[in-house]
Amino acid sequence: METIQACVNQRLLTKADRLFTGSLSGRITELLQNARRAGATKVVITNKDGWITVNDNGQGISDFAKLLDLGGSGWDETCEKSEDPAGVGIFCLAPREVAIRSKGKLAIITEEGWSSMPTKGTLDPEPIHKGTTLRFQDEPWESDMVNIHAAFSGMLVTVDGKQCPKLPFVSENATHHPELGCRIEVLESNQLNQWHNACRRSEGWYGNSGTLNFHGQVVTFDCHPICDRDLRYLVDLTGEPTGIRLMLPARTRLVENEAYKELLAAIEIAAYRHI
């Protein structure tokens, strides 16, 4: 009998621009996540004449070939264990033409470059000193939209010179669960701040009691261990190894695996301790 084995067909690349939701929110999320994983503490976003420029102060791109390696991330083992990167983030910009500058190199990915045409990097005639800069055409990246994704990212993000909010997702009262790689805090609903509520509304599942912060990307989930109290359950991933996983590629829902069950059990204990 013939042997069969999983593989990725070249045809998948021709559909790269449909692997994501195609939303502005998704593009902002992915580029901020990439910057943070690269060690950035600051991201500067500018809008000018229909062009968006995103500049970060991270470690930069050492291997430009990884940019178009669908499924290959290039992140280290620590990041793999804590964040489960999918290696498809930059494809959120397909099929736009994108200019990428980093470490004295320049690559321009054209519409055809996302699927088949080789993209050749060159020496950057105007090299940046640190980090990575991306420039592409898009609808405006306005502060109101970026704020939601920047608030709990841990980075200082500015849009056209205006600073986005930067807040801790949980307080010092949160309980650390190293076995789950997170901190958990239980609050009355009226104790949530405006950015907790803004992120929950943007998720479209405002009735869910659980809210998880995936390093700036906030995901809600159904969690009601105590039904007669108006409680909210905040889960903040710490960057430690964790079995908590989000569905790929958009990461808008939690995977209901064993770690998810352990998380719900930990939240239930926290809820009873709260009351």
Side-chain angles (χ1 to χ4, degrees):
M1 182 176 178
E2 64 180 320
T3 300
I4 61 175
Q5 182 176 353
C7 63
V8 177
N9 194 285
Q10 180 71 18
R11 291 180 62 252
L12 182 61
L13 288 175
T14 66
K15 309 177 192 298
D17 59 330
R18 286 180 277 157
L19 290 175
F20 291 83
T21 60
S23 67
L24 174 59
S25 177
R27 292 191 289 279
I28 295 171
T29 295
E30 290 297 335
L31 294 194
L32 289 182
Q33 291 285 348
N34 279 351
R36 181 191 52 77
R37 287 181 181 137
T41 58
K42 183 177 181 180
V43 178
V44 177
I45 298 170
T46 56
N47 296 269
K48 186 176 182 181
D49 300 328
W51 288 87
I52 313 300
T53 302
V54 181
N55 174 255
D56 69 60
N57 67 345
Q59 64 188 11
I61 302 170
S62 298
D63 185 359
F64 269 52
K66 288 291 185 181
L67 290 171
L68 295 177
D69 182 2
L70 184 60
S73 71
W75 303 114
D76 61 25
E77 185 177 353
T78 299
C79 184
E80 290 284 349
K81 290 181 178 180
S82 64
E83 300 190 30
D84 186 34
V88 295
I90 194 68
F91 280 87
C92 70
L93 296 177
R96 294 167 178 78
E97 180 173 299
V98 183
I100 304 175
R101 288 185 154 90
S102 188
K103 292 190 172 182
K105 294 176 288 187
L106 167 66
I108 298 177
I109 305 173
T110 63
E111 181 175 349
E112 295 77 14
W114 292 106
S115 58
S116 58
M117 183 178 293
T119 298
K120 185 176 181 180
T122 62
L123 292 177
D124 190 348
E126 300 178 1
I128 59 176
H129 296 293
K130 188 177 182 180
T132 300
T133 296
L134 296 91
R135 187 172 185 268
F136 50 91
Q137 287 186 305
D138 202 354
E139 59 187 291
W141 284 32
E142 297 177 343
S143 293
D144 288 346
M145 177 63 75
V146 179
N147 285 344
I148 295 173
H149 303 285
F152 302 118
S153 69
M155 299 183 295
L156 178 63
V157 182
T158 61
V159 179
D160 295 329
K162 183 179 179 180
Q163 183 175 324
C164 298
K166 179 185 176 185
L167 302 166
F169 188 70
V170 296
S171 73
E172 295 180 353
N173 297 323
T175 303
H176 184 204
H177 290 267
E179 76 283 1
L180 289 170
C182 70
R183 294 186 296 161
I184 297 174
E185 184 169 24
V186 182
L187 297 175
E188 306 288 337
S189 62
N190 60 9
Q191 292 179 298
L192 297 181
N193 66 43
Q194 71 176 96
W195 295 108
H196 286 130
N197 287 323
C199 291
R200 286 165 52 78
R201 283 192 293 270
S202 72
E203 273 288 287
W205 292 92
Y206 194 59
N208 284 349
S209 293
T211 310
L212 179 141
N213 178 35
F214 180 79
H215 313 286
Q217 182 175 1
V218 174
V219 179
T220 64
F221 59 99
D222 189 31
C223 180
H224 298 88
I226 300 177
C227 296
D228 61 345
R229 292 289 296 269
D230 193 16
L231 301 180
R232 297 292 180 264
Y233 309 99
L234 304 182
V235 180
D236 190 30
L237 295 186
T238 60
E240 298 168 292
T242 180
I244 298 172
R245 294 288 182 256
L246 280 73
M247 290 187 179
L248 301 173
R251 299 183 188 272
T252 56
R253 291 182 59 192
L254 290 175
V255 175
E256 296 184 10
N257 58 9
E258 192 61 34
Y260 177 76
K261 296 176 183 177
E262 293 174 8
L263 174 63
L264 294 183
I267 289 174
E268 183 173 9
I269 293 172
Y272 279 101
R273 284 176 175 166
H274 176 81
I275 63 174

